[in-house]
Amino acid sequence: MNHETFMRLALQQAQQALASNEFPVGAVIVAEGKPVAMGRRENSKSETANELDHAEIVALRDLLGRRPDIARNTLTVYSTMEPCLMCYSTMLLNGIRTFVYAYEDAMGGGTDLKLTHLTPLYQAMETEVCILPNILRQESLELFKTFFTSPENNYWQDSLLAEYTLAQP
């Protein structure tokens, strides 16, 4: 499987989010070598901002709305940023076990969570989970740098993530 091809699709979603002054995260869900759902971060900039419309959740809603019968254990999620704890656990609970991401979330990434330290529901998942980081990391990093240096954007502007991102070479 060509991880860069699918990550480039996720980067396109992130670029569309950035063009709308949204946090530049894009996600693509792939089944049998074909993209089956896409999403980008929504509602990160307005007075109705929320923490529900993350790119991975938007993509999952898209998938479940169009292909509810798909074998979820065969899916791979490509995201321009490491999935947060909410997105990671939501994907796990929906049967998805393979995650590929571009840029690490130094503030809220969830993929380092030790599932063996959690309840039995999650403990049973650990041996099946596959995580591949840093696919097209630099391309994703540049989108986040653009976001955090723009006066138009105030989402997580003074956060550990912004500080970490802007310190990256």
Side-chain angles (χ1 to χ4, degrees):
M1 182 175 298
N2 187 343
H3 297 303
E4 286 189 15
T5 297
F6 299 119
M7 189 59 74
R8 288 198 190 284
L9 292 175
L11 282 165
Q12 288 174 3
Q13 291 292 308
Q15 289 164 341
Q16 290 174 17
L18 183 62
S20 298
N21 291 324
E22 296 280 2
F23 196 56
V25 180
V28 174
I29 300 176
V30 174
E32 298 177 2
K34 295 180 183 166
V36 293
M38 296 184 193
R40 62 181 166 269
R41 181 64 165 97
E42 299 174 0
N43 297 312
S44 65
K45 67 179 171 89
S46 68
E47 52 280 344
T48 60
N50 70 65
E51 291 301 330
L52 296 173
D53 297 325
H54 290 202
E56 298 89 345
I57 302 299
V58 171
L60 183 61
R61 285 180 180 148
D62 177 42
L63 174 76
L64 297 176
R66 292 184 303 105
R67 305 266 317 262
D69 58 329
I70 198 161
R72 297 180 203 164
N73 64 341
T74 66
L75 301 175
T76 299
V77 175
Y78 290 83
S79 183
T80 58
M81 175 171 267
E82 177 184 6
C84 71
L85 185 57
M86 175 186 72
C87 293
Y88 183 56
S89 61
T90 298
M91 296 292 173
L92 287 173
L93 288 171
N94 277 279
I96 298 170
R97 298 293 186 269
T98 305
F99 303 85
V100 180
Y101 63 85
Y103 181 57
E104 66 277 7
D105 184 347
M107 184 172 77
T111 62
D112 279 342
L113 180 67
K114 302 297 182 223
L115 298 176
T116 55
H117 296 177
L118 300 178
T119 59
L121 175 66
Y122 293 96
Q123 290 173 1
M125 296 177 186
E126 185 180 36
T127 58
E128 303 170 26
V129 176
C130 175
I131 299 168
L132 302 169
N134 303 322
I135 305 296
L136 298 180
R137 180 185 184 275
Q138 194 61 39
E139 290 85 338
S140 185
L141 173 61
E142 293 305 319
L143 292 177
F144 289 104
K145 283 185 173 184
T146 299
F147 179 85
F148 285 127
T149 56
S150 171
E152 301 273 323
N153 304 311
N154 61 7
Y155 183 75
W156 292 119
Q157 203 66 29
D158 295 319
S159 68
L160 170 65
L161 180 61
E163 182 180 317
Y164 176 83
T165 298
L166 295 174
Q168 297 300 301

